[in-house]
Amino acid sequence: MHQTLIASHAETSAEIAAEKVVINAAALSVTYETSSGPIHALSDLTLKVQKGEFVSLLGPSGCGKSTLLNVLAGLEVATKGSAVIFDTPIRGKPHPNVGIVFQKPNLLPWLNVLDNLLIPIEAMRKPKAQYIDRAHQLLKLVGLERFASNYPSELSGGMQQRVGIARAMIYDPAIILMDEPFAALDAMTRERMSIELLRIIEASGQSIFFVTHSIPEAVFLSDRIVMMSSAPGRIVKEVPIDIPRPRGLEAMATPRFAEICGELRGLYC
Amino acid sequence: MPNKDYTRIVYPLITLAILLFVWEFTIRYFQVPEYIFPSLGSVGKQLYVGYIEGTMYQHLGFTLQSMVIGYLIGCSLALILGVLIAESVTFEKFIFPFVVALQSTPKVAIAPLIMLWCGYGLLSKVVMVAIISFFPLFVNTVAGIRQTDPALIRMMRAFSASSWLTFHRVKLYAAAGHIFAGLQISIVMALIGAVVGEFVGSAKGLGWLIQSGMATFNAPIMFAAVLSLIFLGLAFTALVKFAQRKLVYWDRQPSGAPAKA
């Protein structure tokens, strides 16, 4: 699937249009009115995500990438422009076929891991009993099957974040938005989690929109990187990543990897 | 599980023994009159008369009754109003200024008014206790709900949770530590409220015993009543702390004690 997408940049625009566009952000602007004048968090941003793609939004702190994710997640409303997910316009209301992973796991400390996983089910007013099997499957997928009855305080940061990822997948959304999910983890755990994430996604095949400020992380994970400038954030370039999948740690040691990282660094600095 | 620390029981008992010794010694050495500061013996005798022969149970019972009923009423109102004000800005605008006004009124000052309206029996004491124990829990409930981690609320919104679900699955639990702190403070205030009510107008109760003891220069009975009140205070605080340990099971210090005392 990923090989096809890499080749698609050489196809005609008609063939590209035939691939389903699952996220379509057009001329998005987000402006905050403050006492010291308007703040432009996002300025005229246009981007698309295709079905099955792993797209990273890469940019420095404050460039508005989290704002863009919030708009797509339905947590903020854009001042101008449109955000469309699966042909549904998004205006302040989360799309039911989208899952979200936050920078901090945001697990409820008074619920055990299993109940935390089922929170989105409760929110959707569906019967929890129907999803218990899926919850256990997801725990197995993220490598935490023995921890279903544990409480978040008993888990490490990386483990909690894995629960957060499983929670985002409990209702099997076709898109997962991830807002710097590994930023709060130490560097070594971060690398391990990147590999884990690829393994998890490999099994399920969702479209991923991933926000990060780490160049190597974006290159390792993505099919395509959208590079943003610092505030007010604009798209500097879109860079396809032609490193073959499946990617293991050794991909990070290849010359092609360093080449792409260098190109991105050049764009940024 | 840490080993039970027996020094935590033995050491205070040693301090108590020393204090009791100093008490008795000072009384005898300085020949302090009984009506000013009773001796250990006479207080002990009064406690015997009160609780083994049973003359004080009716007073203990009366104070206990008004304290418990008033506390339950005051706390229920505090929780309900606290939740409403924390969750509804409209409700807050209607009600909050009056709550602040009542809070700023020294309850001791309105005790005589309550006696006037509710008589000298149990009702006036219950009202007094309810009013005085309302505020600490109320303030803590509002504060507790409002300080819920915004990230958790955002998370719930991201998964399309209703306000009700966010409230009873997140905010209520997030506020639990504050609520129990409020319950603890309120129970102490409830005791004060019961005693003040009895000072102002009563025919029985531990507060009444203190006051009538003062009028008859009966220091031993005053002491015995105060000790009974201390006992009530300790017992109920321990009860609330126990409930906190059981109900707020996720918020722990490493020692196993609740994280928010």
Side-chain angles (χ1 to χ4, degrees), chain B residues 3 25 27 34 36 88 94 111 119 136 145 153 170 189 204 219 226:
Chain B
N3 285 326
F25 177 80
I27 298 284
E34 273 289 320
I36 291 180
S88 159
F94 273 114
I145 291 174
I153 299 175
V170 181
M189 298 304 281
K204 54 186 195 163
V226 170

Side-chain angles (χ1 to χ4, degrees), chain A:
Chain A
M1 183 168 47
H2 299 286
Q3 300 285 72
T4 324
L5 282 168
I6 292 156
S8 77
H9 287 276
E11 291 165 0
T12 65
S13 50
E15 284 169 274
I16 293 171
E19 299 270 3
K20 183 136 164 82
V21 170
V22 295
I23 300 180
N24 195 341
L28 276 182
S29 296
V30 176
T31 308
Y32 302 118
E33 295 296 328
T34 67
S35 48
S36 42
I39 293 181
H40 302 283
L42 274 182
S43 222
D44 204 28
L45 212 105
T46 298
L47 91 78
K48 296 189 194 350
V49 175
Q50 313 266 14
K51 185 157 150 41
E53 255 198 310
F54 194 123
V55 175
S56 282
L57 189 60
L58 177 65
S61 297
C63 70
K65 50 192 198 293
S66 288
T67 309
L68 175 57
L69 189 137
N70 286 345
V71 171
L72 294 175
L75 295 171
E76 276 186 62
V77 180
T79 326
K80 278 200 291 223
S82 75
V84 175
I85 295 182
F86 287 121
D87 304 322
T88 309
I90 304 292
R91 267 200 86 75
K93 194 161 160 289
H95 192 289
N97 206 359
V98 173
I100 305 167
V101 181
F102 304 90
Q103 190 170 326
K104 279 166 49 197
N106 289 332
L107 302 178
L108 301 178
W110 40 87
L111 296 180
N112 64 23
V113 163
L114 195 72
D115 288 328
N116 262 295
L117 277 190
L118 294 169
I119 279 285
I121 305 300
E122 278 191 65
M124 293 164 112
R125 294 178 228 254
K126 296 215 182 116
K128 278 162 67 165
Q130 276 182 23
Y131 286 84
I132 293 186
D133 280 341
R134 179 161 171 80
H136 281 289
Q137 276 172 26
L138 282 170
L139 280 178
K140 192 141 176 267
L141 183 63
V142 300
L144 292 174
E145 68 262 30
R146 291 184 298 118
F147 293 90
S149 311
N150 286 76
Y151 284 85
S153 58
E154 297 166 330
L155 305 181
S156 71
M159 292 161 83
Q160 287 184 29
Q161 194 56 301
R162 281 190 266 161
V163 175
I165 293 170
R167 177 181 62 191
M169 295 170 67
I170 187 76
Y171 48 98
D172 204 12
I175 297 174
I176 303 184
L177 306 175
M178 304 181 95
D179 189 358
E180 304 193 52
F182 309 140
L185 306 172
D186 64 88
M188 290 168 76
T189 310
R190 221 176 150 150
E191 263 179 28
R192 259 197 43 221
M193 292 292 286
S194 298
I195 302 168
E196 284 294 296
L197 181 64
L198 283 187
R199 183 186 58 80
I200 293 166
I201 303 303
E202 192 73 36
S204 333
Q206 295 98 336
S207 317
I208 311 286
F209 184 74
F210 189 94
V211 169
T212 181
H213 56 257
S214 162
I215 294 176
E217 186 174 82
V219 175
F220 179 72
L221 293 169
S222 326
D223 297 314
R224 174 161 58 97
I225 295 179
V226 176
M227 180 95 202
M228 275 181 86
S229 66
S230 37
R234 290 175 209 285
I235 296 180
V236 172
K237 194 168 178 192
E238 297 201 17
V239 178
I241 312 293
D242 54 6
I243 297 171
R245 289 191 194 268
R247 297 176 192 166
L249 260 185
E250 70 284 349
M252 289 182 142
T254 61
R256 183 69 190 126
F257 190 92
E259 214 184 311
I260 302 176
C261 288
E263 185 192 337
L264 290 164
R265 269 191 210 103
L267 287 169
Y268 169 54
C269 306

Side-chain angles (χ1 to χ4, degrees), chain B residues 64-80:
Chain B
L64 189 65
Q65 232 185 338
S66 62
M67 181 186 156
V68 171
I69 298 172
Y71 178 74
L72 289 173
I73 293 174
C75 287
S76 308
L77 281 172
L79 283 170
I80 294 169

Side-chain angles (χ1 to χ4, degrees), chain B residues 236-257:
Chain B
F236 277 102
T237 306
L239 204 65
V240 175
K241 283 208 165 117
F242 175 75
Q244 180 173 4
R245 257 207 316 277
K246 288 286 163 196
L247 293 173
V248 188
Y249 52 85
W250 62 92
D251 200 9
R252 287 263 169 274
Q253 304 279 35
S255 67

Side-chain angles (χ1 to χ4, degrees), chain B residues 59-260:
Chain B
H59 300 289
L60 180 77
F62 185 78
T63 305
L64 189 65
Q65 232 185 338
S66 62
M67 181 186 156
V68 171
I69 298 172
Y71 178 74
L72 289 173
I73 293 174
C75 287
S76 308
L77 281 172
L79 283 170
I80 294 169
L81 242 71
V83 165
L84 284 169
I85 285 190
E87 287 289 280
S88 159
V89 179
T90 315
F91 197 82
E92 182 192 342
K93 287 182 186 166
F94 273 114
I95 301 290
F96 200 62
F98 298 93
V99 173
V100 174
L102 192 57
Q103 182 180 9
S104 314
T105 314
K107 315 303 170 300
V108 186
I110 61 174
L113 267 175
I114 296 176
M115 298 306 143
L116 207 62
W117 293 328
C118 303
Y120 278 59
L122 190 64
L123 178 65
S124 53
K125 318 295 174 293
V126 168
V127 170
M128 186 71 198
V129 170
I131 292 178
I132 210 171
S133 54
F134 169 84
F135 288 100
L137 181 61
F138 170 77
V139 169
N140 274 34
T141 302
V142 175
I145 291 174
R146 287 197 173 147
Q147 57 84 54
T148 306
D149 187 357
L152 291 181
I153 299 175
R154 244 180 110 238
M155 180 273 291
M156 295 297 278
R157 253 196 78 204
F159 291 116
S160 306
S162 63
S163 323
W164 166 244
L165 191 74
T166 304
F167 173 72
H168 86 271
R169 286 301 246 160
V170 181
K171 290 185 183 177
L172 213 52
Y173 287 82
H178 283 251
I179 288 175
F180 271 92
L183 284 169
Q184 266 186 48
I185 300 170
S186 282
I187 193 81
V188 174
M189 298 304 281
L191 197 54
I192 294 173
V195 171
V196 167
E198 287 168 17
F199 277 176
V200 172
S202 182
K204 54 186 195 163
L206 292 170
W208 176 82
L209 271 183
I210 293 173
Q211 201 174 43
S212 75
M214 185 177 78
T216 59
F217 291 96
N218 188 345
I221 210 164
M222 290 170 78
F223 261 69
V226 170
L227 285 170
S228 310
L229 287 168
I230 292 174
F231 167 75
L232 282 181
L234 286 172
F236 277 102
T237 306
L239 204 65
V240 175
K241 283 208 165 117
F242 175 75
Q244 180 173 4
R245 257 207 316 277
K246 288 286 163 196
L247 293 173
V248 188
Y249 52 85
W250 62 92
D251 200 9
R252 287 263 169 274
Q253 304 279 35
S255 67
K260 289 181 182 129

